[in-house]
Amino acid sequence: MDKPSAAIVTDSTACIPHKISSNLNIHEVAYYIHRGTDVLRDLVTIQRDEFLQWLPTADKLPKTANPGPGDYLDVYQKLADEGQKKIISIHMTSKGSGAFQAAQIAATMIKEKIPDIRVEVIDTLNVALCQGWIAIESARCALDGISMDDILNKIKKMIPVTRMVQTADTLKYLYMGGRIGKAVHLVGSMLSLKPIISMKEGEIVALGVARGLHRAYTKMADVIESSVGSNGRVKIAYMHAGAPEKIQQLKTHIEAKFNCVESFISELSPALMVHTGPGTTGLCFFPVD
């Protein structure tokens, strides 16, 4: 394989399936999970199944922490040692995590050591597989030899149109973790009502509630239609936390309605499961020209 035009770095919270990230040579930096006295690394020293079994038993949520400047610096240095002098580092919303700021510090540090290196740090203003899609599409461009500046232009166009919509059995995990944002009024919803949330300008926002999962999935389809129309082409990543049957129902429901040119299913990483809880289902999508 020829060397890509730029190296693509992102975080474990992008939730990209391992096969995809490996094939596209995407470099991932693990988040931290502080569970009591244990310091775990997301998808390194703690895996999804083990974490999902433990989470419902917790009377106190673990704390999550983004990688520090040193974590990103180690990756940038390794890439530089391999001869890569162009790096695009892609991160979740800076309004919900310090990853973007930490990566910026690391970019400054590597520039001081290697003046001819170029590191561009991206705030996606989004989370999970919206961040993941941007990394995936960037990596594909890099492997195709597309210039770094053209990849950055593509990212700039993707950020405002790449959107997350999800529902959960409860919002208590987001609430307990202090990540509920502008959707706090949904916390008291009855169990039969499925809260639907999205992101706007980097913050979690409420899209309302639906009675039952089927109606929630219909509302998700409405969100896609409002963005791409009934005949629009779309790429969709379906995400869940310990809900494989539910996510397959969502995939079937959505793909009967839209021209989905690419899709896949992925499970949230433990660092995101902390905030969503088991049973979460949702999707991240963007329109395709």
Side-chain angles (χ1 to χ4, degrees):
M1 181 186 296
D2 293 336
K3 186 172 75 173
S5 58
I8 305 301
V9 176
T10 192
D11 304 303
S12 59
T13 51
C15 305
I16 303 168
H18 176 72
K19 185 176 181 180
I20 294 176
S21 61
S22 178
N23 288 343
L24 295 178
N25 202 27
I26 297 171
H27 306 270
E28 296 182 354
V29 186
Y31 265 58
Y32 291 90
I33 301 171
H34 298 268
R35 187 175 66 182
T37 58
D38 295 332
V39 180
L40 308 171
R41 296 302 299 273
D42 194 29
L43 297 175
V44 178
T45 59
I46 186 69
Q47 300 299 321
R48 294 173 171 95
D49 289 347
E50 177 190 351
F51 194 74
L52 271 172
Q53 288 179 0
W54 171 83
L55 188 58
T57 70
D59 53 9
K60 184 178 180 181
L61 283 186
K63 301 290 186 182
T64 58
N66 57 267
D71 296 309
Y72 293 113
L73 180 61
D74 287 346
V75 175
Y76 300 161
Q77 182 68 61
K78 180 177 181 294
L79 290 168
D81 292 344
E82 294 171 354
Q84 183 57 261
K85 295 298 181 68
K86 296 179 180 179
I87 300 170
I88 302 175
S89 201
I90 298 168
H91 308 282
M92 77 156 71
T93 172
S94 61
K95 297 180 182 180
S97 169
F100 172 70
Q101 292 87 346
Q104 283 185 312
I105 294 169
T108 300
M109 294 167 70
I110 194 71
K111 185 75 175 176
E112 290 173 353
K113 295 175 66 176
I114 309 173
D116 63 339
I117 199 168
R118 181 183 177 189
V119 181
E120 296 288 345
V121 182
I122 305 298
D123 181 359
T124 64
L125 292 175
N126 222 310
V127 294
L129 281 155
C130 291
Q131 173 189 348
W133 266 130
I134 291 171
I136 288 168
E137 293 294 286
S138 298
R140 287 170 172 166
C141 289
L143 288 173
D144 285 343
I146 294 171
S147 73
M148 185 172 184
D149 285 334
D150 284 343
I151 298 172
L152 292 171
N153 285 333
K154 181 180 181 68
I155 291 171
K156 185 177 181 181
K157 292 176 181 177
M158 284 188 70
I159 287 174
V161 297
T162 304
R163 194 166 181 193
M164 176 273 285
V165 192
Q166 74 174 45
T167 189
D169 290 336
T170 174
L171 290 183
K172 78 171 187 177
Y173 293 95
L174 275 173
Y175 181 70
M176 290 169 66
R179 305 299 177 95
I180 196 66
K182 295 178 180 178
V184 67
H185 66 283
L186 294 182
V187 170
S189 295
M190 295 168 53
L191 187 61
S192 62
L193 296 179
K194 300 297 182 184
I196 302 170
I197 61 173
S198 184
M199 297 204 79
K200 184 177 182 180
E201 297 176 356
E203 293 187 307
I204 294 173
V205 295
L207 298 183
V209 295
R211 188 171 297 278
L213 209 52
H214 180 77
R215 291 185 179 180
Y217 291 170
T218 298
K219 280 184 174 285
M220 290 186 189
D222 292 342
V223 172
I224 297 174
E225 185 169 4
S226 69
S227 296
V228 305
S230 58
N231 297 316
R233 291 156 51 86
V234 65
K235 292 189 178 185
I236 304 177
Y238 302 93
M239 57 192 183
H240 70 101
E245 293 181 0
K246 291 179 182 177
I247 203 64
Q248 190 61 55
Q249 291 172 16
L250 175 59
K251 184 176 187 292
T252 301
H253 182 84
I254 295 297
E255 296 189 10
K257 295 177 177 290
F258 298 100
N259 182 4
C260 186
V261 299
E262 182 182 0
S263 70
F264 60 85
I265 294 174
S266 185
E267 198 163 15
L268 296 174
S269 75
L272 290 184
M273 288 180 185
V274 170
H275 305 294
T276 68
T280 294
T281 53
L283 53 83
C284 293
F285 72 93
F286 68 97
V288 180
D289 291 339

